[in-house]
Amino acid sequence: SKRFIRGLRRKPVAVLHPSGERETLKKSNQTADKNRHAQPDSLRRAVERQQAEEKAFQAGATFRSPGHGSKPTAETSYPSVREQLGGLRFEKAQPGDKRLAKVVSIARSRAFREQQGKILLEGRRLICDALAAGAVPQVLFFSRVERLCELPLHKLQQASLVKVKFEDIKIWSDLVAPQGIIAIFSKPDASRLSFPEDLRRQTVPLFLICDNVRDPGNLGTILRCAAAAGCDRVLLSKGCVDAWEPKVLRAAMGAHFRLPIFPGLDWTDISEHLPKPMTVHVADNGNKLFIRHDAEAQDVQKPGDMSWVCNRRISSNTHSEEYVESDSDDDSDFDERSLSCVEPKAYHENWAQRSTALVIGGETYGLSSEALQLAEETRGHKLFVPMAPGVECLNSAATASILLFEGRRQLTKLAPKVSRRARSVILR
């Protein structure tokens, strides 16, 4: 039975009719040998056609599919690659090209970023935001021409364009699903960038100061919330994580190119960036307000103990026990005086009545004594968010979002009153 089944599956070689005629159904060995010898010629023609197509693309011409037995020809029947790129030229990375690995390694190191003055941006949206803000591209790596066509090509005239394999981009990309495009930009200067006009018209006199925020995810989220809340600018102290780190860029979702961000400032520079008059408030962790005297302060507690929001205020009789001891008696006296002068206030109470600055501290090192001093000098408050008992405190990013949007609400509500007051003064 098995032989019978195999016989049914076979195809007949020939059919013998009752009249004696023979009909051959399978090609003869002579025909098969002829096709076998002709196969290398067809492969050779395919290779020649592919080479002619690449030469036509580089020359700016287009390729017309040849007929059987004809040679490849170049004609202007549809837009060429060079025409699609607006006349831009690119080069293909050869096997063993180390440029992508080198620039990615440089962009991932903060020391190299500051030394070389370069940053790494990945993805179409982030690169488009950077180009729209006036950032200067240096090198752009892409895997497909279609990805390159999605960018504003007129702003890539001075950049070096390199076509690499998608596998190479996937190796060096930090994304789970890479988009196939990585760009190296000159490190932008916030004072020279041009931000969207429609977004800048929606800003309020609210300034954000990040004090020793060292988690990249938290800092990126804070910057994103600051852009969404319409902050005028963001000031970063020297103890913060680098604002141009790839993780911060991904978490910020383009906030770097939507509002001015000034990193690496000491407190003297921070004061100069704030207009006068100005009221500075600090975000209060409530349960324990940790005062940091320097970056190498000891007895640092875990982030859960240093977190930002709690449901009870600080009692005045526990100040001396809850703070880091200082080597100087003057610093200790200043801390106690600052804590007694900077009064706590709930976040929903009126605290943003004019130009306002908000200080958000890191979860590990907390607020610095300079932040409290600035809040005391400007008659600011320690803002806290009431919570249900027994709930873990919020982190710095969640606290910043609550306080920033509440500050925006209060300032926008105050704006009509100020305009009516100004009109009444003019009529008098």
PDB file of all heavy atoms in Angstrom, residues 9 11 88 100 105 122 145 152 205 214 225 229 247 249 266 276 291 307 339 381 390 403:
ATOM      1  N   ARG A   9       1.911   9.877  -5.918  1.00  0.00           N
ATOM      2  CA  ARG A   9       2.513  11.180  -5.738  1.00  0.00           C
ATOM      3  C   ARG A   9       3.496  11.539  -6.851  1.00  0.00           C
ATOM      4  O   ARG A   9       3.850  12.694  -6.992  1.00  0.00           O
ATOM      5  CB  ARG A   9       3.226  11.242  -4.389  1.00  0.00           C
ATOM      6  CG  ARG A   9       2.270  11.168  -3.206  1.00  0.00           C
ATOM      7  CD  ARG A   9       3.044  11.155  -1.910  1.00  0.00           C
ATOM      8  NE  ARG A   9       2.133  11.096  -0.756  1.00  0.00           N
ATOM      9  CZ  ARG A   9       2.549  10.969   0.505  1.00  0.00           C
ATOM     10  NH1 ARG A   9       3.856  10.868   0.757  1.00  0.00           N
ATOM     11  NH2 ARG A   9       1.677  10.916   1.492  1.00  0.00           N
ATOM     12  N   LYS A  11       5.037  12.244 -10.535  1.00  0.00           N
ATOM     13  CA  LYS A  11       4.552  12.830 -11.786  1.00  0.00           C
ATOM     14  C   LYS A  11       5.021  11.975 -12.969  1.00  0.00           C
ATOM     15  O   LYS A  11       6.191  11.571 -13.008  1.00  0.00           O
ATOM     16  CB  LYS A  11       5.080  14.256 -11.925  1.00  0.00           C
ATOM     17  CG  LYS A  11       4.545  15.198 -10.870  1.00  0.00           C
ATOM     18  CD  LYS A  11       5.059  16.593 -11.106  1.00  0.00           C
ATOM     19  CE  LYS A  11       4.512  17.550 -10.047  1.00  0.00           C
ATOM     20  NZ  LYS A  11       5.010  18.937 -10.246  1.00  0.00           N
ATOM     21  N   LEU A  88      21.414  66.004  -1.301  1.00  0.00           N
ATOM     22  CA  LEU A  88      22.375  65.613  -0.278  1.00  0.00           C
ATOM     23  C   LEU A  88      23.107  64.342  -0.679  1.00  0.00           C
ATOM     24  O   LEU A  88      22.539  63.452  -1.309  1.00  0.00           O
ATOM     25  CB  LEU A  88      21.666  65.389   1.063  1.00  0.00           C
ATOM     26  CG  LEU A  88      21.040  66.612   1.739  1.00  0.00           C
ATOM     27  CD1 LEU A  88      20.330  66.192   3.012  1.00  0.00           C
ATOM     28  CD2 LEU A  88      22.089  67.660   2.050  1.00  0.00           C
ATOM     29  N   LEU A 100      30.597  54.779  14.187  1.00  0.00           N
ATOM     30  CA  LEU A 100      29.381  54.716  15.000  1.00  0.00           C
ATOM     31  C   LEU A 100      29.704  54.312  16.428  1.00  0.00           C
ATOM     32  O   LEU A 100      29.217  54.922  17.387  1.00  0.00           O
ATOM     33  CB  LEU A 100      28.384  53.744  14.378  1.00  0.00           C
ATOM     34  CG  LEU A 100      27.072  53.534  15.147  1.00  0.00           C
ATOM     35  CD1 LEU A 100      26.327  54.846  15.292  1.00  0.00           C
ATOM     36  CD2 LEU A 100      26.204  52.491  14.458  1.00  0.00           C
ATOM     37  N   SER A 105      30.155  55.920  22.066  1.00  0.00           N
ATOM     38  CA  SER A 105      30.907  55.817  23.319  1.00  0.00           C
ATOM     39  C   SER A 105      31.207  57.193  23.896  1.00  0.00           C
ATOM     40  O   SER A 105      31.128  57.400  25.107  1.00  0.00           O
ATOM     41  CB  SER A 105      32.206  55.051  23.080  1.00  0.00           C
ATOM     42  OG  SER A 105      31.932  53.744  22.598  1.00  0.00           O
ATOM     43  N   GLU A 122      18.625  60.203  19.518  1.00  0.00           N
ATOM     44  CA  GLU A 122      18.157  59.033  18.771  1.00  0.00           C
ATOM     45  C   GLU A 122      16.652  59.127  18.572  1.00  0.00           C
ATOM     46  O   GLU A 122      15.911  59.463  19.494  1.00  0.00           O
ATOM     47  CB  GLU A 122      18.506  57.749  19.525  1.00  0.00           C
ATOM     48  CG  GLU A 122      18.135  56.486  18.768  1.00  0.00           C
ATOM     49  CD  GLU A 122      18.603  55.228  19.470  1.00  0.00           C
ATOM     50  OE1 GLU A 122      19.194  55.347  20.561  1.00  0.00           O
ATOM     51  OE2 GLU A 122      18.370  54.133  18.922  1.00  0.00           O
ATOM     52  N   VAL A 145      17.035  55.045   3.582  1.00  0.00           N
ATOM     53  CA  VAL A 145      16.866  56.386   3.032  1.00  0.00           C
ATOM     54  C   VAL A 145      15.513  56.961   3.421  1.00  0.00           C
ATOM     55  O   VAL A 145      15.368  58.174   3.601  1.00  0.00           O
ATOM     56  CB  VAL A 145      17.029  56.337   1.497  1.00  0.00           C
ATOM     57  CG1 VAL A 145      16.791  57.718   0.880  1.00  0.00           C
ATOM     58  CG2 VAL A 145      18.416  55.841   1.124  1.00  0.00           C
ATOM     59  N   PRO A 152      13.861  67.245   8.254  1.00  0.00           N
ATOM     60  CA  PRO A 152      13.995  68.457   7.434  1.00  0.00           C
ATOM     61  C   PRO A 152      15.368  68.485   6.768  1.00  0.00           C
ATOM     62  O   PRO A 152      16.373  68.864   7.386  1.00  0.00           O
ATOM     63  CB  PRO A 152      13.806  69.593   8.451  1.00  0.00           C
ATOM     64  CG  PRO A 152      14.129  68.988   9.773  1.00  0.00           C
ATOM     65  CD  PRO A 152      13.737  67.557   9.692  1.00  0.00           C
ATOM     66  N   PRO A 205       5.271  83.198  34.870  1.00  0.00           N
ATOM     67  CA  PRO A 205       6.487  83.560  35.621  1.00  0.00           C
ATOM     68  C   PRO A 205       6.795  82.547  36.720  1.00  0.00           C
ATOM     69  O   PRO A 205       6.794  82.863  37.917  1.00  0.00           O
ATOM     70  CB  PRO A 205       6.155  84.943  36.183  1.00  0.00           C
ATOM     71  CG  PRO A 205       4.674  84.971  36.266  1.00  0.00           C
ATOM     72  CD  PRO A 205       4.174  84.172  35.115  1.00  0.00           C
ATOM     73  N   ARG A 214      19.816  63.533  41.080  1.00  0.00           N
ATOM     74  CA  ARG A 214      20.838  62.688  40.463  1.00  0.00           C
ATOM     75  C   ARG A 214      20.280  61.469  39.750  1.00  0.00           C
ATOM     76  O   ARG A 214      21.052  60.694  39.184  1.00  0.00           O
ATOM     77  CB  ARG A 214      21.850  62.246  41.523  1.00  0.00           C
ATOM     78  CG  ARG A 214      22.515  63.432  42.207  1.00  0.00           C
ATOM     79  CD  ARG A 214      23.716  63.026  43.025  1.00  0.00           C
ATOM     80  NE  ARG A 214      24.363  64.195  43.609  1.00  0.00           N
ATOM     81  CZ  ARG A 214      25.502  64.155  44.289  1.00  0.00           C
ATOM     82  NH1 ARG A 214      26.108  62.994  44.468  1.00  0.00           N
ATOM     83  NH2 ARG A 214      26.030  65.258  44.776  1.00  0.00           N
ATOM     84  N   CYS A 225       7.603  67.769  32.837  1.00  0.00           N
ATOM     85  CA  CYS A 225       6.519  68.448  33.547  1.00  0.00           C
ATOM     86  C   CYS A 225       6.705  69.961  33.521  1.00  0.00           C
ATOM     87  O   CYS A 225       5.734  70.710  33.417  1.00  0.00           O
ATOM     88  CB  CYS A 225       6.458  67.950  34.991  1.00  0.00           C
ATOM     89  SG  CYS A 225       5.969  66.217  35.163  1.00  0.00           S
ATOM     90  N   ALA A 229       3.962  72.492  32.105  1.00  0.00           N
ATOM     91  CA  ALA A 229       3.364  73.492  32.985  1.00  0.00           C
ATOM     92  C   ALA A 229       3.651  74.912  32.528  1.00  0.00           C
ATOM     93  O   ALA A 229       3.118  75.855  33.121  1.00  0.00           O
ATOM     94  CB  ALA A 229       3.863  73.295  34.417  1.00  0.00           C
ATOM     95  N   LYS A 247      19.565  58.890  28.975  1.00  0.00           N
ATOM     96  CA  LYS A 247      18.375  58.519  29.749  1.00  0.00           C
ATOM     97  C   LYS A 247      17.541  59.747  30.097  1.00  0.00           C
ATOM     98  O   LYS A 247      16.300  59.675  30.096  1.00  0.00           O
ATOM     99  CB  LYS A 247      18.793  57.788  31.024  1.00  0.00           C
ATOM    100  CG  LYS A 247      19.405  56.416  30.774  1.00  0.00           C
ATOM    101  CD  LYS A 247      19.740  55.732  32.083  1.00  0.00           C
ATOM    102  CE  LYS A 247      20.340  54.345  31.833  1.00  0.00           C
ATOM    103  NZ  LYS A 247      20.684  53.657  33.108  1.00  0.00           N
ATOM    104  N   LEU A 249      17.398  62.494  28.290  1.00  0.00           N
ATOM    105  CA  LEU A 249      16.791  62.932  27.026  1.00  0.00           C
ATOM    106  C   LEU A 249      15.563  62.101  26.690  1.00  0.00           C
ATOM    107  O   LEU A 249      14.542  62.637  26.242  1.00  0.00           O
ATOM    108  CB  LEU A 249      17.820  62.841  25.902  1.00  0.00           C
ATOM    109  CG  LEU A 249      18.951  63.884  25.937  1.00  0.00           C
ATOM    110  CD1 LEU A 249      20.062  63.482  24.989  1.00  0.00           C
ATOM    111  CD2 LEU A 249      18.400  65.248  25.564  1.00  0.00           C
ATOM    112  N   ASP A 266      26.190  77.229  40.003  1.00  0.00           N
ATOM    113  CA  ASP A 266      26.266  77.358  41.452  1.00  0.00           C
ATOM    114  C   ASP A 266      25.184  78.338  41.901  1.00  0.00           C
ATOM    115  O   ASP A 266      24.498  78.953  41.089  1.00  0.00           O
ATOM    116  CB  ASP A 266      27.659  77.812  41.892  1.00  0.00           C
ATOM    117  CG  ASP A 266      28.097  79.098  41.211  1.00  0.00           C
ATOM    118  OD1 ASP A 266      27.230  79.884  40.782  1.00  0.00           O
ATOM    119  OD2 ASP A 266      29.316  79.323  41.084  1.00  0.00           O
ATOM    120  N   LYS A 276      14.032  90.024  39.554  1.00  0.00           N
ATOM    121  CA  LYS A 276      13.690  90.693  40.815  1.00  0.00           C
ATOM    122  C   LYS A 276      12.409  91.509  40.596  1.00  0.00           C
ATOM    123  O   LYS A 276      12.262  92.162  39.565  1.00  0.00           O
ATOM    124  CB  LYS A 276      14.825  91.611  41.260  1.00  0.00           C
ATOM    125  CG  LYS A 276      16.168  90.912  41.402  1.00  0.00           C
ATOM    126  CD  LYS A 276      16.160  89.911  42.533  1.00  0.00           C
ATOM    127  CE  LYS A 276      17.563  89.342  42.791  1.00  0.00           C
ATOM    128  NZ  LYS A 276      18.115  88.604  41.657  1.00  0.00           N
ATOM    129  N   ILE A 291      19.093  68.407  55.310  1.00  0.00           N
ATOM    130  CA  ILE A 291      19.925  69.532  54.908  1.00  0.00           C
ATOM    131  C   ILE A 291      21.303  69.014  54.542  1.00  0.00           C
ATOM    132  O   ILE A 291      21.968  68.362  55.348  1.00  0.00           O
ATOM    133  CB  ILE A 291      20.046  70.567  56.034  1.00  0.00           C
ATOM    134  CG1 ILE A 291      18.651  71.018  56.447  1.00  0.00           C
ATOM    135  CG2 ILE A 291      20.868  71.766  55.578  1.00  0.00           C
ATOM    136  CD1 ILE A 291      17.865  71.638  55.325  1.00  0.00           C
ATOM    137  N   SER A 307      12.414  60.869  51.071  1.00  0.00           N
ATOM    138  CA  SER A 307      11.446  61.200  50.037  1.00  0.00           C
ATOM    139  C   SER A 307      10.722  62.499  50.340  1.00  0.00           C
ATOM    140  O   SER A 307      10.823  63.055  51.416  1.00  0.00           O
ATOM    141  CB  SER A 307      10.439  60.064  49.909  1.00  0.00           C
ATOM    142  OG  SER A 307       9.888  59.784  51.158  1.00  0.00           O
ATOM    143  N   LEU A 339      15.257  77.112  59.330  1.00  0.00           N
ATOM    144  CA  LEU A 339      14.079  76.276  59.490  1.00  0.00           C
ATOM    145  C   LEU A 339      12.981  76.996  60.243  1.00  0.00           C
ATOM    146  O   LEU A 339      11.803  76.754  60.028  1.00  0.00           O
ATOM    147  CB  LEU A 339      14.463  74.983  60.209  1.00  0.00           C
ATOM    148  CG  LEU A 339      15.367  74.041  59.394  1.00  0.00           C
ATOM    149  CD1 LEU A 339      15.822  72.900  60.269  1.00  0.00           C
ATOM    150  CD2 LEU A 339      14.639  73.524  58.187  1.00  0.00           C
ATOM    151  N   HIS A 381       8.235  79.677  51.302  1.00  0.00           N
ATOM    152  CA  HIS A 381       7.655  78.674  52.193  1.00  0.00           C
ATOM    153  C   HIS A 381       8.172  77.290  51.846  1.00  0.00           C
ATOM    154  O   HIS A 381       8.717  77.063  50.762  1.00  0.00           O
ATOM    155  CB  HIS A 381       6.121  78.682  52.107  1.00  0.00           C
ATOM    156  CG  HIS A 381       5.489  79.940  52.586  1.00  0.00           C
ATOM    157  ND1 HIS A 381       5.345  81.045  51.776  1.00  0.00           N
ATOM    158  CD2 HIS A 381       4.956  80.283  53.808  1.00  0.00           C
ATOM    159  CE1 HIS A 381       4.746  82.014  52.453  1.00  0.00           C
ATOM    160  NE2 HIS A 381       4.515  81.578  53.689  1.00  0.00           N
ATOM    161  N   GLY A 390       0.075  56.259  56.412  1.00  0.00           N
ATOM    162  CA  GLY A 390       0.575  54.934  56.076  1.00  0.00           C
ATOM    163  C   GLY A 390       0.954  54.744  54.630  1.00  0.00           C
ATOM    164  O   GLY A 390       1.313  53.625  54.238  1.00  0.00           O
ATOM    165  N   LEU A 403       3.276  70.350  42.271  1.00  0.00           N
ATOM    166  CA  LEU A 403       3.529  71.739  42.641  1.00  0.00           C
ATOM    167  C   LEU A 403       3.601  72.650  41.413  1.00  0.00           C
ATOM    168  O   LEU A 403       3.128  73.792  41.459  1.00  0.00           O
ATOM    169  CB  LEU A 403       4.823  71.831  43.440  1.00  0.00           C
ATOM    170  CG  LEU A 403       4.838  71.084  44.782  1.00  0.00           C
ATOM    171  CD1 LEU A 403       6.184  71.246  45.460  1.00  0.00           C
ATOM    172  CD2 LEU A 403       3.716  71.586  45.684  1.00  0.00           C
TER     173      LEU A 403
END
